[in-house]
């Protein structure tokens, strides 16, 4: 077939003209669009560009510090490096995580926690931590590879640190990563840059005081989102520091005195209500929870038979046993149910009329002829059975309530339990049964349905030491004012809402009851006389034993025949010195047996430390004294200086 050059030229010319037309049309559209963007809508897109280049960021406030009464730091903030990912700035999240995992070690649990935090993040472009507490080696490795990891940030943040670890865990509590539920109950704006919030204890109760106020800053960023410079800044307001009534030295003495046994010690300053020591053993390290505890460590704490996560001092509910006998004794005197001349013969048991059951005394053959005073000193159950039957549940409930049993009275503690102060209405409502006389007998010796926390027992003992004067227990002593930690303000008087003071018809009854508690420690027949031996000051107390398992009629309690966790709890309450008391203590040793053997010695060590001084304090005073000694003969310098117990007693 022959070619037609003229026809081909005509077709080529047509196509060229058509192509040129489309090029011109597209050029006109492009120029029009550029004109629209650069001229017509210039202001709008300039604003969008600035927003992409400049960002408003929240600045987290520095959390307030916590100190003990002597200025010892209990809760600090320490810088910790973390690697975080901004999801919007990475092409492939899985690939980025794998790339980081090839540089530093990542566990499956850390990746799972990252996925969980990513789902719960509060806003786009928010860095989500993948791994915290990076080592210097890990920081260096990531820094070298930084240019290959867009959207990955290695930054330092201040993280809570508890220098004393387990010692203060149950009292301070801890902070942890904030969750969605917690964000709903706080000001979300004020927490826009905060990753941590108080979870338990003082950290939770005083969260508003410790947290501070969020700040803001306008920053210029590059295409990768990295901050180039700060353009404007509104500083955050640091949280306020808190000084607690706790004394670290006394806390350590109480822990050492417990010798690893399960239990609790609570010490209160009667004149103020300030809590001097709050111990629950065993304990745990709160630092594990701050940035997130691993599953294995948490499982070990959760599944331990000794339940170290359980705060026995505030949540442990135990039968108070004989520790409440001084209060029941006051009730008997104040209602004229008994008087100081009332005596009974104790054969070792008590029996209700028309009842075959024997209510046993702890002493098999009884205490002989005893009055109320003797019955407190020797902890005679039979006398209290008789008195409780005459008093009745209504009067016992009334007087125990006056001392805080069955109530939550602490000012700045919201995790304590109420315990159980039984009554007719309580038994009818919970058991569906009427109140029986036998219930009153058990209640009279702190058994049966009654349960109390160590904090309640310490509070009731402080009220006894104050002769009825109430001061609600509290932990906080002072709060720093503003940004100057040296400017301390007293917390507004906590005692405005104190329960009414306990008033007796005959104020001399205080002397009678407190005198019997003094003889518990110093009398010839006192149940805790061994723990007060050679003390250079006078102390008062009451031992107690709480049954864990029931004993059948006719059987005797044999601790050796029982499993360790089925043995009786040992309790003790007391205060010292007797004149002008400076400390009131409650001790419980779980499954420790008798209170005089296991709990009272713990209290004695706490008393000694607070009344006589701590070991390091004694060493300092001794060193100062030695420095002033002249060159007297050796026998004169070494001769001990005798001090009368009376002078020490008055000094305390």
């Amino acid at each position: 077939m022959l070619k037609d050059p003229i026809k081909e030229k005509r077709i080529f010319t047509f196509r060229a003209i058509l192509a040129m037309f489309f090029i011109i049309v597209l050029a006109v559209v492009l120029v029009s669009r550029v004109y629209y963007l650069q001229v017509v809508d210039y202001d709008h897109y300039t604003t969008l560009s600035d927003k992409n280049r400049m960002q408003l960021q929240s600045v987290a406030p520095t959390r307030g510090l916590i100190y003990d009464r002597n200025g010892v730091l209990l809760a600090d903030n320490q810088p910790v490096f973390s690697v975080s990912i901004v999801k919007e700035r990475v092409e492939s999240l899985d690939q980025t995580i794998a790339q980081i995992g090839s540089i530093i070690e990542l566990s499956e649990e850390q990746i799972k926690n990252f996925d969980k935090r990513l789902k719960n993040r509060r806003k786009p472009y928010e860095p989500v931590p993948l791994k915290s507490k990076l080592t210097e080696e890990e920081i260096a490795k990531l820094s070298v590879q930084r240019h290959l990891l867009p959207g990955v940030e290695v930054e330092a943040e201040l993280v809570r640190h508890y220098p004393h670890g387990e010692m203060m865990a149950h009292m301070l509590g801890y902070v942890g990563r904030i969750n969605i539920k917690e964000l709903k109950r706080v000001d979300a704006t004020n927490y826009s840059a905060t990753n941590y919030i108080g979870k338990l204890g003082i950290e939770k109760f005083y969260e508003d005081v410790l947290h501070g106020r969020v700040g803001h800053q306008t920053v210029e960023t590059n295409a990768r989102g990295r901050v180039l410079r700060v353009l404007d800044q509104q500083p955050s307001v640091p949280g306020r520091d808190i000084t607690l009534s706790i004394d670290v030295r006394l806390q350590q003495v109480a822990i050492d005195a417990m010798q690893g046994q399960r239990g609790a010690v609570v010490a209160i300053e009667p004149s103020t209500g300030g809590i001097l020591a709050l111990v629950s053993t065993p304990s745990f390290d709160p630092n594990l929870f701050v940035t997130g505890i691993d599953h294995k460590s948490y499982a070990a704490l959760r599944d331990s038979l000794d339940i170290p996560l359980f705060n026995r001092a505030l949540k442990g509910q135990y039968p108070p046993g004989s520790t409440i006998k001084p209060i029941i004794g006051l009730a008997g005197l104040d209602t004229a149910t008994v008087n100081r001349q009332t005596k009974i013969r104790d054969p070792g048991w008590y029996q209700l009329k028309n009842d075959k059951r024997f209510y046993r005394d702890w002493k098999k053959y009884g205490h002989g002829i005893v009055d109320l005073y003797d019955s407190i000193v020797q902890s005679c159950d039979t006398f209290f059975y008789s008195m409780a039957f005459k008093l009745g549940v209504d009067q016992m409930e009334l007087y125990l309530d006056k001392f805080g049993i069955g109530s939550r009275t602490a000012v700045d503690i919201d995790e304590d339990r109420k315990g159980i102060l039984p009554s007719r209405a309580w038994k009818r409502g919970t058991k569906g049964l009427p109140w029986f006389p036998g219930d009153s007998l058990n209640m009279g010796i702190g058994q049966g349905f009654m349960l109390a926390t160590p904090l309640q027992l310490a509070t009731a003992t402080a009220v006894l030491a104050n002769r009825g004067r109430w001061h609600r227990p509290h932990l906080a002593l002072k709060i720093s004012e503003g940004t100057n930690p040296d400017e301390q303000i007293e917390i507004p008087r906590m005692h405005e809402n104190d329960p009414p003071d306990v008033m007796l018809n005959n104020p001399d009854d205080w002397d009678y009851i407190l005198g019997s508690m003094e003889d518990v420690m110093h009398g010839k027949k006192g149940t805790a006389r061994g723990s007060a031996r050679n003390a250079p000051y006078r102390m008062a107390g009451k031992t107690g034993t709480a049954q864990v398992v029931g004993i059948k009629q006719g059987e005797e309690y044999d601790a050796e025949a029982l499993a360790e966790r089925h043995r009786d709890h040992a309790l003790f309450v007391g205060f010292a010195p007797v004149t002008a008391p400076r400390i009131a203590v409650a001790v419980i040793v779980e499954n420790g047996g008798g209170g005089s053997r296991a709990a009272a010695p713990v209290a004695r060590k706490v008393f000694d430390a607070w009344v006589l001084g701590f070991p390091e304090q004694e060493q300092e005073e001794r060193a100062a004294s030695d420095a002033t000694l002249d060159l007297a003969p050796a026998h004169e310098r070494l001769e001990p200086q005798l001090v009368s117990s009376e002078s020490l007693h008055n000094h305390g």
Side-chain angles (χ1 to χ4, degrees):
M1 185 177 180
L2 298 176
K3 294 184 178 180
D4 187 351
I6 298 174
K7 185 177 180 180
E8 288 180 355
K9 186 177 181 179
R10 196 166 42 244
I11 293 172
F12 176 79
T13 302
F14 174 77
R15 289 177 177 175
I17 293 172
L18 185 63
M20 182 63 68
F21 174 77
F22 277 112
I23 291 173
I24 293 172
V25 170
L26 291 174
V28 171
V29 172
L30 180 61
V31 170
S32 299
R33 183 60 179 168
V34 170
Y35 177 81
Y36 176 80
L37 294 175
Q38 295 292 334
V39 179
V40 177
D41 217 9
Y42 170 80
D43 292 337
H44 173 69
Y45 286 102
T46 298
T47 303
L48 291 180
S49 177
D50 286 339
K51 284 185 176 180
N52 194 40
R53 183 168 56 89
M54 293 182 292
Q55 296 181 11
L56 181 66
Q57 294 182 342
S58 300
V59 180
T62 302
R63 194 171 182 85
L65 306 179
I66 303 177
Y67 300 91
D68 88 331
R69 68 192 297 125
N70 300 309
V72 178
L73 189 61
L74 304 181
D76 191 11
N77 300 311
Q78 292 189 349
V80 170
F81 282 86
S82 304
V83 56
S84 303
I85 300 176
V86 180
K87 180 184 177 183
E88 288 76 10
R89 293 188 177 132
V90 299
E91 294 182 3
S92 171
L93 195 59
D94 292 337
Q95 184 177 347
T96 301
I97 293 175
Q99 194 173 356
I100 295 173
S102 66
I103 301 172
I104 63 173
E105 184 179 351
L106 292 177
S107 66
E108 291 185 7
E109 189 171 353
Q110 287 170 337
I111 297 174
K112 287 181 181 179
N113 290 335
F114 170 80
D115 292 336
K116 188 183 299 182
R117 296 184 193 119
L118 187 63
K119 292 178 182 178
N120 294 329
R121 65 178 180 158
R122 288 170 266 178
K123 56 187 177 182
Y125 290 91
E126 179 181 7
V128 179
L130 175 61
K131 183 177 181 179
S132 299
K133 297 183 178 179
L134 298 178
T135 64
E136 292 185 3
E137 183 180 355
E138 289 173 330
I139 295 170
K141 288 180 178 179
L142 289 169
S143 298
V144 170
Q145 303 290 331
R146 184 176 181 179
H147 65 286
L148 300 175
L149 299 169
V152 177
E153 300 177 358
V154 177
E155 295 181 334
E157 62 176 340
L158 288 177
V159 171
R160 205 59 152 175
H161 176 68
Y162 303 100
H164 298 279
E166 296 185 3
M167 186 197 303
M168 295 290 175
H170 287 294
M171 183 270 300
L172 288 177
Y174 56 85
V175 301
R177 293 197 179 274
I178 193 168
N179 57 44
I180 298 297
K181 183 178 179 181
E182 289 164 336
L183 270 176
K184 291 181 179 178
R185 61 178 176 82
V186 298
D187 181 357
T189 301
N190 194 34
Y191 280 78
S192 57
T194 302
N195 294 322
Y196 303 95
I197 192 171
K199 300 284 187 176
L200 285 174
I202 284 293
E203 292 279 23
K204 180 180 179 181
F205 190 92
Y206 285 106
E207 173 65 27
D208 292 342
V209 173
L210 292 165
H211 177 260
R213 299 297 300 177
V214 69
H216 298 90
Q217 63 181 13
T218 303
V219 298
E220 184 179 0
T221 59
N222 61 15
R224 295 193 174 198
R226 302 197 187 282
V227 176
L228 300 177
R229 58 175 175 153
V230 178
L231 302 175
D232 186 32
Q233 188 174 34
Q234 179 185 345
S236 60
V237 179
R240 296 160 70 183
D241 299 340
I242 296 179
T243 299
L244 302 181
S245 58
I246 290 288
D247 191 302
V248 169
R249 300 168 301 172
L250 192 68
Q251 187 91 352
Q252 186 65 63
V253 167
I255 292 173
D256 292 343
M258 289 294 290
Q259 298 180 336
Q261 301 173 101
R262 298 182 303 276
V265 180
V266 179
I268 294 177
E269 188 175 43
S271 60
T272 65
I275 298 175
L276 303 173
L278 194 150
V279 171
S280 175
T281 57
S283 186
F284 63 95
D285 185 358
N287 293 301
L288 296 173
F289 289 84
V290 177
T291 55
I293 187 171
D294 63 272
H295 179 74
K296 182 179 180 181
S297 298
Y298 180 72
L301 292 172
R302 180 196 61 202
D303 300 335
S304 171
L305 289 176
D306 293 332
I307 46 177
L309 295 175
F310 184 66
N311 190 338
R312 291 167 165 84
L314 303 181
K315 296 182 179 181
Q317 299 180 112
Y318 307 92
S322 296
T323 60
I324 65 159
K325 285 180 178 177
I327 300 176
I328 299 297
L330 278 174
L333 292 174
D334 203 48
T335 58
T337 302
V338 297
N339 56 45
R340 301 182 192 187
Q341 287 73 45
T342 302
K343 294 184 178 182
I344 68 164
R345 187 181 68 84
D346 171 24
W349 49 266
Y350 180 84
Q351 193 173 25
L352 290 168
K353 189 176 181 180
N354 300 322
D355 188 350
K356 296 181 179 179
R357 178 179 177 179
F358 288 92
Y359 292 83
R360 300 286 182 181
D361 189 274
W362 69 268
K363 192 173 184 180
K364 185 174 182 180
Y365 297 108
H367 296 83
I369 305 298
V370 291
D371 58 13
L372 175 57
Y373 194 97
D374 299 327
S375 297
I376 293 177
V377 173
Q378 302 177 53
S379 200
C380 172
D381 292 332
T382 306
F383 187 95
F384 279 87
Y385 289 141
S386 174
M387 184 169 58
F389 176 72
K390 297 173 184 176
L391 266 173
V393 58
D394 299 330
Q395 293 286 9
M396 287 190 289
E397 179 202 3
L398 174 65
Y399 278 84
L400 289 167
D401 176 68
K402 290 181 179 182
F403 286 84
I405 303 298
S407 301
R408 300 177 66 242
T409 59
V411 174
D412 49 7
I413 296 174
D414 57 8
E415 295 155 17
D416 57 324
R417 292 183 176 175
K418 290 181 62 175
I420 296 176
L421 178 56
S423 64
R424 297 179 190 275
W426 174 86
K427 189 180 180 186
R428 178 68 71 179
T430 57
K431 307 291 184 181
L433 295 171
W435 189 267
F436 298 115
D439 297 330
S440 294
L441 269 57
N442 286 327
M443 185 173 176
I445 62 166
Q447 299 280 0
F449 303 117
M450 190 188 307
L451 296 175
T453 67
L455 176 61
Q456 286 175 340
L457 294 177
T459 302
T461 306
V463 177
L464 275 169
N466 284 338
R467 296 170 180 261
R469 176 82 174 179
W470 255 99
H471 292 302
R472 295 175 67 194
H474 60 271
L475 284 166
L477 196 61
K478 296 178 181 178
I479 296 178
S480 65
E481 186 173 18
T483 57
N484 186 354
D486 295 327
E487 294 181 8
Q488 299 277 329
I489 59 171
E490 293 284 346
I491 295 177
R493 270 320 334 140
M494 298 178 178
H495 307 308
E496 294 177 358
N497 298 319
D498 282 345
D501 293 340
V502 181
M503 307 297 292
L504 300 181
N505 294 317
N506 181 5
D508 289 343
D509 288 342
W510 291 113
D511 295 330
Y512 182 82
I513 293 297
L514 298 185
S516 68
M517 293 179 68
E518 184 176 358
D519 270 1
V520 168
M521 309 301 299
H522 301 281
K524 293 181 179 180
K525 296 184 178 181
T527 54
R529 60 190 181 278
S531 295
R533 187 173 292 119
N534 300 323
Y537 59 93
R538 304 288 286 185
M539 64 191 83
K542 184 68 194 79
T543 56
T545 304
Q547 285 185 351
V548 175
V549 294
I551 304 298
K552 294 181 179 179
Q553 282 284 306
E555 292 186 358
E556 292 186 16
Y557 175 79
D558 183 3
E560 298 301 324
L562 293 173
E564 189 267 341
R565 293 179 186 272
H566 291 164
R567 296 172 186 172
D568 292 346
H569 296 322
L571 298 98
F572 177 86
V573 298
F575 59 89
V578 171
T579 302
R582 294 169 51 194
I583 183 171
V585 171
V587 178
I588 179 163
V589 179
E590 289 186 2
N591 312 117
S596 58
R597 182 180 64 84
V602 174
R604 168 66 190 274
K605 292 178 181 178
V606 174
F607 286 157
D608 281 354
W610 195 249
V611 176
L612 302 178
F614 297 91
E616 64 271 20
Q617 180 179 332
E618 292 177 353
Q619 292 173 5
E620 292 173 3
E621 292 175 353
R622 190 179 300 115
S625 176
D626 291 344
T628 61
L629 285 175
D630 57 15
L631 298 178
H635 71 278
E636 293 182 13
R637 295 202 307 271
L638 297 176
E639 184 177 358
Q641 189 174 19
L642 299 178
V643 181
S644 70
S645 61
E646 184 64 25
S647 64
L648 280 172
H649 171 70
N650 293 333
H651 177 70

